[in-house]
Amino acid sequence: MGKQRLVEVTELPADSDIAAALGIPLGEPVVVRRRVMLVDDRPVELTDSYYAASLARGTGLAELRKIRGGAVTLLAELGYRVEQAVEDVSARNPTDEEREQLDLRGEPVLQLIRRSLCAGTPFEVSVMRMTAAGRRLRYQLSV
């Protein structure tokens, strides 16, 4: 059975990758929600979701608590519905921290970076690092 554990919610300056992905200036404050995804109580994915602080401040996104209906529901209530998602997937060796948190023993991680956009404007960037074993990514596109 899958579940998630909310580890941290904090505000920090956007690094170059996150700033570029959100279309904000380098160093502008962002709120990050860090979660560990579990299957049968075993960590299989680390997910960090970033939001411009100007969007997240004063909302459940900036609080260390679960959000009823999830962030997607809260964002929709704020007028941010995903109209387009752009994903980049890569495989790489895990960092020492990822190796420890995911209890890896030499296998690579898959990294998926998803940019969610509404009216052409990015409002959420999620960075997911997951165990490669047992993962399958499936995409369906309508053209």
Side-chain angles (χ1 to χ4, degrees), residues 6-11 31-35 51 56-68 74:
L6 182 61
V7 176
E8 177 184 35
V9 176
T10 191
E11 188 172 308
V31 168
V32 59
R33 296 178 63 84
R34 299 186 196 281
R35 300 172 317 280
Y51 311 90
R57 281 186 190 137
T59 74
L61 294 170
E63 298 174 10
L64 184 61
R65 65 174 177 83
K66 288 189 175 184
I67 299 170
R68 178 170 292 207
L74 176 60

Side-chain angles (χ1 to χ4, degrees), residues 54-139:
S54 59
L55 181 153
R57 281 186 190 137
T59 74
L61 294 170
E63 298 174 10
L64 184 61
R65 65 174 177 83
K66 288 189 175 184
I67 299 170
R68 178 170 292 207
V72 151
T73 299
L74 176 60
L75 287 161
E77 290 169 0
L78 296 172
Y80 295 92
R81 287 186 171 76
V82 179
E83 295 174 354
Q84 182 182 20
V86 178
E87 295 185 345
D88 290 296
V89 181
S90 59
R92 61 173 172 74
N93 290 323
T95 65
D96 290 339
E97 183 179 352
E98 291 165 342
R99 188 176 294 108
E100 180 181 325
Q101 290 179 331
L102 294 171
D103 193 28
L104 298 172
R105 290 172 173 69
E107 60 266 40
V109 291
L110 292 179
Q111 179 171 276
L112 187 150
I113 300 173
R114 177 184 300 137
R115 292 176 59 221
S116 298
L117 298 94
C118 179
T121 301
F123 62 90
E124 177 184 52
V125 174
S126 292
V127 180
M128 296 158 258
R129 289 102 51 216
M130 61 197 84
T131 57
R135 294 301 119 223
R136 177 179 153 195
L137 303 176
R138 179 180 185 185
Y139 292 89

